[in-house]
Coordinates of all heavy atoms in Angstrom, one line a residue:
P27 N -25.6 35.4 -13.8 CA -26.2 34.3 -13.0 C -25.1 33.5 -12.2 O -24.0 33.3 -12.7 CB -26.7 33.4 -14.1 CG -26.7 34.1 -15.4 CD -25.7 35.2 -15.2
V28 N -25.5 33.1 -11.0 CA -24.7 32.3 -10.2 C -24.7 30.9 -10.6 O -25.8 30.3 -10.7 CB -25.1 32.4 -8.7 CG1 -24.3 31.5 -7.8 CG2 -24.9 33.9 -8.2
A29 N -23.6 30.3 -10.9 CA -23.6 28.9 -11.4 C -23.6 27.9 -10.3 O -24.2 26.9 -10.4 CB -22.3 28.7 -12.3
E30 N -22.9 28.2 -9.2 CA -22.9 27.2 -8.1 C -22.4 27.9 -6.8 O -21.6 28.9 -6.8 CB -22.0 26.0 -8.4 CG -20.5 26.2 -8.6 CD -19.8 25.0 -8.9 OE1 -20.1 23.9 -8.3 OE2 -18.9 25.0 -9.8
V31 N -23.0 27.5 -5.7 CA -22.6 27.9 -4.4 C -22.0 26.7 -3.8 O -22.5 25.6 -3.7 CB -23.8 28.4 -3.6 CG1 -23.4 28.8 -2.2 CG2 -24.5 29.5 -4.3
M32 N -20.7 26.9 -3.3 CA -19.9 25.7 -2.8 C -20.0 25.5 -1.3 O -19.4 24.6 -0.8 CB -18.5 25.9 -3.2 CG -18.2 25.6 -4.6 SD -18.3 27.0 -5.7 CE -17.2 26.6 -7.0
V33 N -20.7 26.4 -0.6 CA -20.7 26.3 0.9 C -22.2 26.4 1.3 O -23.0 26.9 0.6 CB -19.9 27.3 1.6 CG1 -18.4 27.1 1.3 CG2 -20.3 28.7 1.2
R34 N -22.4 25.9 2.5 CA -23.8 26.0 3.1 C -23.7 26.7 4.4 O -22.6 26.8 5.1 CB -24.3 24.6 3.4 CG -24.6 23.8 2.2 CD -25.2 22.5 2.5 NE -25.1 21.6 1.3 CZ -25.0 20.3 1.4 NH1 -24.9 19.7 2.5 NH2 -24.9 19.6 0.3
A35 N -24.8 27.2 4.9 CA -24.9 27.9 6.2 C -24.4 26.9 7.3 O -24.7 25.7 7.3 CB -26.3 28.3 6.5
G36 N -23.6 27.4 8.2 CA -23.1 26.6 9.3 C -21.7 26.1 9.0 O -21.0 25.7 9.9
E37 N -21.2 26.1 7.7 CA -19.9 25.6 7.4 C -18.8 26.6 7.8 O -19.1 27.8 7.8 CB -19.8 25.3 5.9 CG -20.5 24.0 5.5 CD -20.3 23.7 4.0 OE1 -19.3 24.2 3.4 OE2 -21.1 22.9 3.5
T38 N -17.7 26.1 8.1 CA -16.5 26.9 8.4 C -15.7 27.0 7.1 O -15.5 25.9 6.5 CB -15.7 26.3 9.5 OG1 -16.5 26.3 10.7 CG2 -14.5 27.2 9.8
V39 N -15.2 28.2 6.7 CA -14.5 28.3 5.5 C -13.1 28.9 5.8 O -12.9 29.6 6.9 CB -15.2 29.2 4.5 CG1 -16.5 28.5 4.0 CG2 -15.5 30.6 5.0
K40 N -12.1 28.7 4.9 CA -10.8 29.2 5.1 C -10.6 30.4 4.2 O -11.2 30.5 3.1 CB -9.8 28.1 4.8 CG -9.8 27.0 5.7 CD -8.8 25.9 5.4 CE -8.9 24.8 6.4 NZ -8.1 23.7 6.1
K41 N -9.7 31.3 4.6 CA -9.4 32.4 3.8 C -9.0 32.0 2.4 O -8.2 31.1 2.2 CB -8.2 33.2 4.4 CG -7.8 34.4 3.7 CD -6.7 35.2 4.3 CE -6.4 36.4 3.5 NZ -5.4 37.2 4.2
G42 N -9.6 32.6 1.4 CA -9.3 32.4 0.0 C -10.2 31.2 -0.6 O -10.2 31.0 -1.8
Q43 N -10.9 30.5 0.2 CA -11.7 29.4 -0.3 C -12.8 30.0 -1.2 O -13.5 31.0 -0.8 CB -12.3 28.6 0.9 CG -13.2 27.5 0.5 CD -13.7 26.7 1.7 OE1 -13.2 26.8 2.8 NE2 -14.8 26.0 1.5
V44 N -13.1 29.3 -2.3 CA -14.2 29.7 -3.2 C -15.5 29.4 -2.5 O -15.8 28.3 -2.1 CB -14.1 29.0 -4.6 CG1 -15.2 29.4 -5.4 CG2 -12.7 29.4 -5.2
L45 N -16.4 30.4 -2.4 CA -17.7 30.3 -1.8 C -18.8 30.1 -2.9 O -19.7 29.3 -2.7 CB -18.0 31.5 -1.0 CG -17.0 32.0 0.0 CD1 -17.4 33.3 0.6 CD2 -16.8 30.9 1.1
A46 N -18.6 30.8 -4.0 CA -19.6 30.7 -5.1 C -18.9 31.1 -6.4 O -17.8 31.8 -6.3 CB -20.8 31.5 -4.8
R47 N -19.5 30.8 -7.5 CA -19.0 31.3 -8.8 C -20.1 31.7 -9.7 O -21.2 31.1 -9.7 CB -18.0 30.3 -9.4 CG -18.7 29.1 -10.0 CD -17.6 28.3 -10.8 NE -18.3 27.1 -11.3 CZ -18.9 27.1 -12.5 NH1 -19.0 28.2 -13.2 NH2 -19.5 26.0 -13.0
L48 N -19.8 32.6 -10.6 CA -20.8 33.0 -11.6 C -20.7 32.0 -12.8 O -19.7 31.3 -13.0 CB -20.4 34.4 -12.1 CG -20.6 35.5 -11.1 CD1 -20.2 36.9 -11.7 CD2 -22.0 35.6 -10.5
Q49 N -21.7 32.1 -13.6 CA -21.7 31.2 -14.8 C -20.7 31.8 -15.8 O -20.7 33.0 -16.0 CB -23.1 31.2 -15.4 CG -23.3 30.2 -16.5 CD -24.7 30.0 -16.9 OE1 -25.6 30.4 -16.2 NE2 -24.9 29.4 -18.0
L50 N -19.9 30.9 -16.3 CA -18.9 31.3 -17.3 C -19.5 31.1 -18.7 O -20.5 30.5 -18.9 CB -17.7 30.4 -17.1 CG -17.0 30.4 -15.7 CD1 -16.0 29.3 -15.7 CD2 -16.4 31.7 -15.4
A51 N -18.7 31.6 -19.7 CA -19.1 31.4 -21.1 C -19.0 29.8 -21.3 O -18.4 29.1 -20.6 CB -18.1 32.1 -22.0
P52 N -19.7 29.3 -22.4 CA -19.8 27.9 -22.6 C -18.4 27.2 -22.6 O -18.2 26.1 -22.1 CB -20.6 27.7 -23.9 CG -21.4 29.0 -24.0 CD -20.6 30.0 -23.3
G53 N -17.5 27.8 -23.3 CA -16.1 27.1 -23.5 C -15.4 27.0 -22.1 O -15.0 25.9 -21.7
P54 N -15.2 28.1 -21.4 CA -14.6 28.0 -20.1 C -15.4 27.1 -19.1 O -14.8 26.4 -18.2 CB -14.5 29.5 -19.6 CG -14.5 30.3 -20.8 CD -15.4 29.5 -21.8
E55 N -16.7 27.2 -19.2 CA -17.6 26.4 -18.3 C -17.3 24.9 -18.5 O -17.1 24.1 -17.5 CB -19.1 26.7 -18.5 CG -20.0 26.1 -17.5 CD -20.0 26.8 -16.2 OE1 -19.9 28.0 -16.1 OE2 -20.1 26.0 -15.2
K56 N -17.2 24.5 -19.8 CA -16.9 23.1 -20.1 C -15.5 22.7 -19.6 O -15.3 21.6 -19.1 CB -17.0 23.0 -21.6 CG -16.9 21.5 -22.1 CD -17.2 21.5 -23.6 CE -17.1 20.0 -24.1 NZ -17.3 19.9 -25.5
M57 N -14.5 23.7 -19.8 CA -13.2 23.4 -19.4 C -13.1 23.2 -17.9 O -12.4 22.3 -17.4 CB -12.3 24.6 -19.8 CG -10.8 24.3 -19.8 SD -9.9 25.4 -20.8 CE -9.5 26.6 -19.6
L58 N -13.8 24.1 -17.1 CA -13.8 23.9 -15.7 C -14.4 22.6 -15.2 O -13.9 21.9 -14.3 CB -14.5 25.1 -15.0 CG -14.6 25.1 -13.5 CD1 -13.2 25.2 -12.9 CD2 -15.4 26.3 -13.0
K59 N -15.5 22.3 -15.9 CA -16.1 21.0 -15.6 C -15.2 19.8 -15.8 O -15.1 18.9 -15.0 CB -17.4 20.8 -16.4 CG -18.2 19.6 -16.1 CD -19.4 19.4 -16.9 CE -20.1 18.1 -16.6 NZ -21.2 17.8 -17.5
A60 N -14.5 19.8 -16.9 CA -13.5 18.8 -17.2 C -12.4 18.7 -16.2 O -12.0 17.6 -15.8 CB -13.0 19.0 -18.6
M61 N -11.9 19.9 -15.8 CA -10.8 19.9 -14.8 C -11.3 19.3 -13.5 O -10.6 18.6 -12.8 CB -10.4 21.4 -14.6 CG -9.4 21.9 -15.6 SD -8.7 23.4 -15.0 CE -9.5 24.5 -16.1
R62 N -12.5 19.7 -13.1 CA -13.1 19.1 -11.8 C -13.3 17.6 -11.9 O -13.1 16.9 -10.9 CB -14.3 19.9 -11.4 CG -14.0 21.3 -11.0 CD -15.2 21.9 -10.4 NE -14.8 23.2 -9.8 CZ -15.6 24.2 -9.6 NH1 -16.9 24.1 -9.9 NH2 -15.2 25.4 -9.1
E63 N -13.8 17.2 -13.0 CA -14.0 15.7 -13.2 C -12.7 15.0 -13.1 O -12.6 13.9 -12.5 CB -14.7 15.4 -14.5 CG -16.2 15.8 -14.5 CD -16.9 15.7 -15.9 OE1 -16.2 15.4 -16.9 OE2 -18.1 15.9 -15.9
R64 N -11.7 15.6 -13.7 CA -10.3 14.9 -13.7 C -9.8 14.9 -12.3 O -9.3 13.9 -11.8 CB -9.4 15.7 -14.6 CG -8.0 15.1 -14.5 CD -7.0 15.9 -15.5 NE -5.7 15.3 -15.4 CZ -4.7 15.9 -14.8 NH1 -4.9 17.1 -14.3 NH2 -3.5 15.4 -14.8
R65 N -9.9 16.0 -11.5 CA -9.5 16.1 -10.2 C -10.2 15.1 -9.3 O -9.6 14.3 -8.5 CB -9.7 17.5 -9.6 CG -9.2 17.6 -8.1 CD -9.4 18.9 -7.6 NE -10.6 19.5 -7.9 CZ -11.7 19.6 -7.0 NH1 -11.6 19.2 -5.8 NH2 -12.8 20.2 -7.4
N66 N -11.5 15.0 -9.5 CA -12.3 14.0 -8.7 C -11.9 12.6 -9.0 O -11.9 11.7 -8.1 CB -13.8 14.2 -8.9 CG -14.4 15.5 -8.3 OD1 -13.8 16.0 -7.4 ND2 -15.4 16.0 -8.9
K67 N -11.7 12.3 -10.3 CA -11.3 10.9 -10.7 C -9.9 10.6 -10.0 O -9.7 9.5 -9.4 CB -11.2 10.8 -12.2 CG -10.7 9.5 -12.7 CD -10.6 9.5 -14.2 CE -10.0 8.1 -14.7 NZ -9.8 8.2 -16.1
V68 N -9.0 11.5 -10.1 CA -7.6 11.3 -9.5 C -7.8 11.2 -8.0 O -7.1 10.3 -7.4 CB -6.7 12.4 -9.9 CG1 -5.4 12.4 -9.1 CG2 -6.3 12.4 -11.4
E69 N -8.6 12.0 -7.4 CA -8.8 11.9 -5.9 C -9.4 10.5 -5.5 O -8.9 9.9 -4.5 CB -9.8 13.0 -5.5 CG -10.0 13.1 -4.0 CD -8.7 13.7 -3.3 OE1 -8.0 14.5 -3.9 OE2 -8.5 13.3 -2.1
K70 N -10.3 10.0 -6.3 CA -10.9 8.7 -6.0 C -9.8 7.6 -6.1 O -9.7 6.7 -5.3 CB -12.1 8.3 -6.9 CG -13.3 9.1 -6.5 CD -14.4 8.8 -7.5 CE -15.7 9.6 -7.1 NZ -16.7 9.4 -8.1
Q71 N -9.0 7.7 -7.2 CA -7.9 6.7 -7.4 C -6.9 6.8 -6.3 O -6.4 5.8 -5.8 CB -7.2 7.0 -8.7 CG -8.1 6.6 -9.9 CD -7.5 7.0 -11.2 OE1 -6.6 8.0 -11.3 NE2 -7.8 6.3 -12.3
Y72 N -6.6 8.1 -5.9 CA -5.6 8.3 -4.8 C -6.1 7.6 -3.5 O -5.4 7.0 -2.8 CB -5.4 9.8 -4.6 CG -4.4 10.1 -3.4 CD1 -3.1 9.9 -3.5 CD2 -5.0 10.5 -2.2 CE1 -2.2 10.2 -2.5 CE2 -4.1 10.8 -1.1 CZ -2.8 10.6 -1.3 OH -2.0 10.8 -0.2
L73 N -7.4 7.9 -3.1 CA -7.9 7.3 -1.9 C -7.9 5.8 -2.0 O -7.6 5.1 -1.0 CB -9.3 7.8 -1.7 CG -9.4 9.3 -1.3 CD1 -10.9 9.8 -1.3 CD2 -8.7 9.6 0.0

Side-chain angles (χ1 to χ4, degrees):
V28 174
E30 63 183 320
V31 177
M32 281 91 153
V33 294
R34 294 184 194 147
E37 287 185 16
T38 300
V39 295
K40 295 180 180 173
K41 180 179 180 175
Q43 179 178 339
V44 176
L45 307 173
R47 74 172 180 84
L48 296 178
Q49 188 168 345
L50 304 170
E55 189 74 39
K56 188 176 180 180
M57 195 161 93
L58 180 61
K59 181 180 178 190
M61 279 191 253
R62 287 191 175 156
E63 286 172 356
R64 178 176 178 256
R65 179 179 45 103
N66 289 336
K67 180 181 175 186
V68 168
E69 186 69 31
K70 286 178 185 175
Q71 291 172 334
Y72 175 78
L73 292 174

